[in-house]
Amino acid sequence: MSVEFCGLELEHPIINGSGTFDAIAARRAFGDEILVRFPFAAFVSKTVTLEPRQGNPPPRLWELPAGLMNSIGLPNKGLAGYLEHDLPELARLPVPLIVNVMGFSRGEVARLVEAFAEREKVSALELNVSCPNVETGLTIGADPGEIAALLREVRPLTAKPLVVKLTPNATDVSAVARAAEAAGADAVSLINTVRGMALDPRSGHPWLGGVTGGVSGPGVRAIAVAQIHAVAQAVEIPLVGMGGVQRGTDALDLMRAGASLVAVGTESFRDPAAGRRVADELVELLANTAV
Ligand code: RRO
């Protein structure tokens, strides 16, 4: 059940949420077998920043009754490290590569977009303007004016599809999506995690080293359905929907709400093969149901 997304031919509509599946580690753990039945129809890499980052101090995770809260803080090798070490490995995956980037200024995002624009193995870019664990991520992503200014600067730098990853932590997500579309985005993806906080039961102080974190998993699925539905009414560009998808029926719900592709995120931590299972279940459901 192949699908077309921003000019890319994908085998099915299931991809991964950025930062929820380490394809390089998976290949090391499971061998080349992972390449034969790769769980996703495209691979979205963990956010890359211009400079290397250590990420936030531990603890970085807090388990919830219906999901997970993270405050990872974008640990990554930086642009140069990614180009040298990660890109050659990810380019060998049997599916298109979408690179997720984040900058702490418009100029930084522009430098990242320019660098990936000339890499043939990169099929599309996802602009992360919605990380809940750094202030700038939310400041840019929650403001239609900021999004428009960012797109105006980076759109001319590449012909590759630009996907803007929206935050659910905004007053009017549809307004942000409209601004992204008007300024040249090819697609939007949503939802990133919902800002939350947990207290250490013994000390009463924030549990996470980053103080607040981003909530994901089945507990946010209803929020995702509502926001995807709202954004789908507001824009004509395609949507990548995500938020608590565990089964084919959850993916079908997000598609019925308006998503063209669906990403599996938190579920992959429990079951690294979840993407393939969800895709198989979805294909079966779509053969028997109207979207
Ligand atoms: O690294 C993170 O802490 C992180 C990122 Br960049 C993001 O976009 N969403 C999230 O929940 N965590």
Side-chain angles (χ1 to χ4, degrees):
M1 79 131 317
S2 66
V3 283
E4 193 267 351
F5 174 75
C6 297
L8 307 177
E9 275 299 319
L10 306 184
E11 193 198 316
H12 56 75
I14 302 298
I15 66 172
N16 65 300
S18 172
T20 61
F21 187 90
D22 184 338
I24 296 173
R27 190 170 178 208
R28 235 176 265 136
F30 304 113
D32 282 350
E33 206 181 306
I34 191 97
L35 303 183
V36 180
R37 280 207 94 210
F38 195 67
F40 307 106
F43 180 71
V44 186
S45 63
K46 169 83 183 143
T47 305
V48 185
T49 54
L50 202 53
E51 301 300 333
R53 284 175 59 87
Q54 292 292 329
N56 287 344
R60 290 173 166 183
L61 291 176
W62 174 264
E63 201 175 334
L64 292 161
L68 193 63
M69 182 156 52
N70 84 82
S71 186
I72 309 295
L74 302 121
N76 76 101
K77 298 174 185 143
L79 175 63
Y82 183 90
L83 291 175
E84 186 182 344
H85 302 290
D86 291 359
L87 187 58
E89 293 218 41
L90 296 174
R92 276 190 243 129
L93 296 177
V95 295
L97 174 65
I98 301 174
V99 177
N100 179 303
V101 298
M102 182 192 153
F104 291 89
S105 65
R106 290 200 282 273
E108 279 196 16
V109 182
R111 285 180 59 193
L112 289 157
V113 170
E114 254 176 338
F116 287 113
E118 53 191 51
R119 299 289 168 148
E120 194 203 325
K121 295 289 185 182
V122 176
S123 295
L125 290 167
E126 184 173 59
L127 306 179
N128 189 357
V129 293
S130 49
C131 176
N133 300 328
V134 286
E135 221 11 85
T136 36
L138 276 184
T139 318
I140 299 174
D143 181 338
E146 289 281 344
I147 289 289
L150 175 67
L151 264 292
R152 274 198 297 272
E153 187 152 339
V154 303
R155 177 69 281 180
L157 303 177
T158 182
K160 293 188 197 290
L162 290 176
V163 182
V164 176
K165 180 128 182 208
L166 302 173
T167 175
N169 307 299
T171 315
D172 186 350
V173 181
S174 298
V176 180
R178 271 194 299 269
E181 179 181 48
D186 297 284
V188 288
S189 52
L190 68 159
I191 61 174
N192 204 325
T193 51
V194 180
R195 188 183 257 169
M197 182 168 158
L199 300 179
D200 181 336
R202 281 160 304 197
S203 69
H205 296 306
W207 172 263
L208 294 167
V211 181
T212 60
V215 178
S216 63
V220 307
R221 196 187 303 137
I223 298 171
V225 174
Q227 297 207 353
I228 291 163
H229 181 259
V231 170
Q233 317 298 310
V235 298
E236 305 215 326
I237 52 177
L239 273 58
V240 182
M242 69 199 87
V245 172
Q246 295 180 295
R247 295 166 302 238
T249 49
D250 305 328
L252 183 62
D253 275 0
L254 299 200
M255 293 181 85
R256 284 175 160 163
S260 298
L261 298 183
V262 170
V264 173
T266 305
E267 185 67 2
S268 295
F269 290 110
R270 177 159 52 198
D271 171 13
R276 174 54 67 174
R277 178 177 52 74
V278 171
D280 289 345
E281 291 169 3
L282 177 66
V283 169
E284 172 102 26
L285 281 166
L286 286 174
N288 300 307
T289 344
V291 175

